[in-house]
Amino acid sequence: MISKITKLTAAAAFGVASVFSVANAAEPPKGGTVAAVENTKGPIKIAFLSFQNNPFWTPVTDGAKAANDYLKGFNATVDFVDLGNELSAEAVVAGIEGALAKQYNGIVVVPIFDGTARIINEATEAGVPVFNIVAEGAAPSERLAFIGQDATSAGEQIGKFIQEKMNGKGKLGVITGYFGATQHTQRMNGAVDYLKANAPDIQIVGPFENKDKAEEAYSLVQDMMTSNPDLSMVYVTAGGPFGAAKAVKDLGLTGKVGVVGFDHTPDNMQYLKTGEMVGLLDQAPYQQALDASVLLYNYLAAGTEPPAKVIPVVGNLLTPADAK
């Protein structure tokens, strides 16, 4: 399992081969699963809209850049557009409006929040297909497709893991990224609802909001431990779980308090190896970014529909034993 993670991390770190020729059309790019089709339409421009507020976005950015390198050989470009450090529906709306003004042929975006469906529908109606990745709002939109993890199921998977690690009892601190982010809420509720139904002796402390920031997760864990010295587990639903892990380490609680979270980023993996993180669930962000870009290109170049409107990503849950 680790070799696969290492392979994907290496692909994200060093990028994909610079330019593929049309002769390589039958082969997907390294780190992706979708091959580009022949382009008979002329130059194609895709805008890739994403955030940059924590290390999770690094493989997303790298996946977009890898897609650009790959698709250059097919007369297409993928331009990465940074939506900033603060996640909000307004930032997504402004990003899509900007892409429409610049007359991109298609858009890949991480919408996350409710309040983004309207602009996605407007883009679609204007003939600019939109491909959602990672997370989208609860309100349905006319997007071409979505690739990502089922957040509620992922939360439930984490909940089952927490139940086992805590032996069905004790105090669990819960930190979410943004209270208004649909994915974060679904991940939180997926775990909490499972625990309420199946492990009623586990007491929930929180939830608290860290806005995807590791330093805020660090402070929240310190505060929780002050108020609840018998806390035994912390669940971070989104960005910054390594901040919670650092707090556990600095408080001298390694082996007594565990942190569970998402994403096999280097910062998180460091604390998984040393035992402060006890569980990490991945969502393959590099592959999501790369595959979505190529699938959108194929639609623009040849009218090839994605294989489904919702393309699920099943992540691997790693423990310290896997990281050694």
Side-chain angles (χ1 to χ4, degrees):
M1 194 181 325
I2 271 291
S3 61
K4 180 180 179 183
I5 300 301
T6 304
K7 181 179 179 182
L8 288 176
T9 302
F14 298 108
V16 178
S18 55
V19 179
F20 281 59
S21 67
V22 175
N24 290 325
E27 291 296 324
K30 186 178 180 181
T33 65
V34 181
V37 300
E38 183 180 358
N39 181 1
T40 60
K41 299 290 181 67
I44 292 173
K45 295 195 310 175
I46 294 172
F48 191 108
L49 315 180
S50 182
F51 294 94
Q52 289 286 288
N53 72 327
N54 72 77
F56 165 76
W57 300 108
T58 300
V60 174
T61 305
D62 289 339
K65 292 177 179 177
N68 183 56
D69 289 342
Y70 175 62
L71 292 174
K72 281 179 181 177
F74 300 89
N75 199 15
T77 57
V78 178
D79 295 336
F80 181 84
V81 179
D82 186 353
L83 295 179
N85 293 327
E86 291 296 327
L87 277 65
S88 69
E90 291 76 15
V92 174
V93 170
I96 293 178
E97 288 176 341
L100 292 174
K102 293 180 180 179
Q103 299 184 324
Y104 279 94
N105 303 109
I107 298 169
V108 178
V109 67
V110 186
I112 298 183
F113 296 94
D114 286 339
T116 57
R118 175 191 60 80
I119 190 64
I120 292 172
N121 293 345
E122 288 182 12
T124 302
E125 290 164 7
V128 181
V130 178
F131 205 119
N132 292 352
I133 69 168
V134 180
E136 55 185 355
S141 72
E142 296 300 318
R143 43 93 166 127
L144 178 65
F146 166 69
I147 181 170
Q149 203 169 58
D150 183 288
T152 301
S153 296
E156 183 175 327
Q157 183 178 356
I158 290 283
K160 292 176 180 177
F161 177 79
I162 290 171
Q163 178 188 20
E164 180 181 343
K165 293 295 293 184
M166 294 180 65
N167 294 316
K169 58 185 178 181
K171 288 185 178 180
L172 168 70
V174 175
I175 299 173
T176 194
Y178 286 81
F179 284 131
T182 301
Q183 182 206 48
H184 301 177
T185 300
Q186 290 174 339
R187 283 176 170 179
M188 179 176 67
N189 291 344
V192 171
D193 290 348
Y194 173 84
L195 292 171
K196 286 180 178 178
N198 296 278
D201 290 334
I202 292 180
Q203 180 182 339
I204 305 299
V205 178
F208 305 98
E209 181 185 54
N210 77 331
K211 295 187 181 298
D212 275 358
K213 291 180 170 57
E215 58 271 25
E216 185 64 21
Y218 182 92
S219 297
L220 286 169
V221 169
Q222 288 187 316
D223 292 343
M224 279 192 280
M225 292 307 308
T226 299
S227 303
N228 301 273
D230 54 345
L231 195 75
S232 57
M233 188 81 68
V234 177
Y235 171 38
V236 183
T237 74
F242 61 92
K246 185 177 188 305
V248 169
K249 183 176 182 179
D250 289 352
L251 289 168
L253 296 173
T254 303
K256 297 178 181 178
V257 179
V259 179
V260 182
F262 287 84
D263 305 316
H264 301 157
T265 62
D267 295 291
N268 290 340
M269 292 297 292
Q270 170 190 339
Y271 289 104
L272 189 72
K273 291 177 181 177
T274 54
E276 292 80 24
M277 299 282 317
V278 296
L280 273 177
L281 184 62
D282 191 33
Q283 52 185 323
Y286 180 88
Q287 181 185 322
Q288 284 193 49
L290 181 50
D291 282 355
S293 300
V294 179
L295 285 166
L296 179 56
Y297 159 81
N298 286 349
Y299 180 79
L300 293 167
T304 305
E305 294 277 351
K309 285 295 185 182
V310 176
I311 303 169
V313 172
V314 179
N316 293 317
L317 200 159
L318 300 183
T319 68
D322 299 309
K324 293 179 180 178

